């Protein structure tokens, strides 16, 4: 990693996970494999910030640790890139186990449970699909009907306007949101 850490991909240690590496990687990983409109790719870093915000809209009273988990929901992609869910499924259980080990290391590094409770995962997944709907219709060329078929209908009153950022701005946005959420998570845990 650029931080100088050596991350063992087969047995990742939380001690080798650095948020700067995550932000660097996610800001450079393009959603939709870069097949989007505009001057800049829509990065996983920017997607992650929006998913966290959507989770708060869906669950306004959520604890900050779950908000942090939402921000980090795609963190393994800083190492392995972004793959669409059907392709992940086609790769099989070994891929999912690999991704889960990376996620567990990231979670351990930042004080989250290695495996999130099912109800928390469900909210994050719902917000992820809502974000994907808006990505599909605003920057990936889908019609509303096509997007509804693949991602469902967003809840009433929930809307996102996408403006894909340059890499550095997406990286800074992610890091700033992380710092805020981590500080509030730690304060919440101490209370």
């Amino acid at each position: 990693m650029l931080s100088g850490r050596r991350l063992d991909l087969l047995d990742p240690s939380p001690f080798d996970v650095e948020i700067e590496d995550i932000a660097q990687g996610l800001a450079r990983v393009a959603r939709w494999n870069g097949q989007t409109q505009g001057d800049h790719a829509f990065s996983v870093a920017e997607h992650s910030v929006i998913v966290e915000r959507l989770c708060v809209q869906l669950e306004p009273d959520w604890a900050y640790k779950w908000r942090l988990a939402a921000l980090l929901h795609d963190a393994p992609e800083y190492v392995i890139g972004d793959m669409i869910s059907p392709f992940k499924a086609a790769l099989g259980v070994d891929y999912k186990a690999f991704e889960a080990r990376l996620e567990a290391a990231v979670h351990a590094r930042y004080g989250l449970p290695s495996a999130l409770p099912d109800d928390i995962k469900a909210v994050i997944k719902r917000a992820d699909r809502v974000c994907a709907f808006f990505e599909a219709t605003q920057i990936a060329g889908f019609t509303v009907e096509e997007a509804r078929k693949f991602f469902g209908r967003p809840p009433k009153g929930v809307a996102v306007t996408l403006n894909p950022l340059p890499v550095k701005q997406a990286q800074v946005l992610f890091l700033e949101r992380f710092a805020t959420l981590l500080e509030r998570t730690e304060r919440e845990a101490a209370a």
Side-chain angles (χ1 to χ4, degrees):
M1 301 292 123
L2 284 177
S3 66
R5 298 284 189 183
R6 298 291 182 242
L7 183 67
D8 181 344
L9 297 180
L10 299 178
D11 187 22
S13 167
F15 299 110
D16 294 325
V17 172
E18 295 293 338
I19 197 60
E20 291 79 10
D21 293 331
I22 293 171
Q24 170 91 10
L26 295 185
R28 286 159 177 75
V29 173
R31 296 273 296 166
W32 306 89
N33 289 322
Q35 298 299 309
T36 54
Q37 301 164 358
D39 293 335
H40 306 287
F42 187 66
S43 73
V44 175
E46 192 173 356
H47 162 83
S48 297
V49 171
I50 292 171
V51 167
E52 184 267 328
R53 289 180 184 156
L54 287 167
C55 284
V56 174
Q57 286 185 329
L58 298 172
E59 295 289 337
D61 297 326
W62 244 21
Y64 281 100
K65 70 179 179 180
W66 303 137
R67 295 177 188 192
L68 181 61
L71 181 71
L72 296 171
H73 80 281
D74 280 337
E77 294 178 11
Y78 89 103
V79 176
I80 59 176
D82 186 21
M83 282 191 248
I84 60 173
S85 295
F87 189 65
K88 288 179 186 179
L91 290 175
V93 175
D94 289 339
Y95 178 84
K96 291 213 174 273
F98 178 73
E99 187 177 41
R101 282 192 300 274
L102 278 169
E103 184 174 67
V106 170
H107 284 189
R109 174 69 170 88
Y110 299 110
L112 298 168
S114 60
L116 298 176
D118 288 341
D119 61 326
I120 301 302
K121 286 193 298 191
V123 173
I124 294 170
K125 186 64 178 170
R126 183 172 181 214
D128 193 43
R129 291 177 65 78
V130 170
C131 191
F133 172 89
F134 290 113
E135 291 169 23
T137 57
Q138 292 179 30
I139 60 174
F142 283 55
T143 66
V144 169
E145 294 76 26
E146 289 171 325
R148 283 182 184 154
K149 177 181 168 188
F150 290 105
F151 307 109
R153 182 187 305 259
K156 286 191 187 263
V158 174
V160 172
T161 301
L162 301 176
N163 180 26
L165 298 172
V167 168
K168 197 63 176 170
Q169 286 180 15
Q171 185 173 346
V172 168
L173 177 72
F174 182 89
L175 284 170
E176 287 174 349
R177 190 64 187 146
F178 173 83
T180 298
L181 291 173
L182 183 63
E183 185 270 327
R184 289 181 181 170
T185 297
E186 290 170 348
R187 195 175 345 146
E188 189 175 65

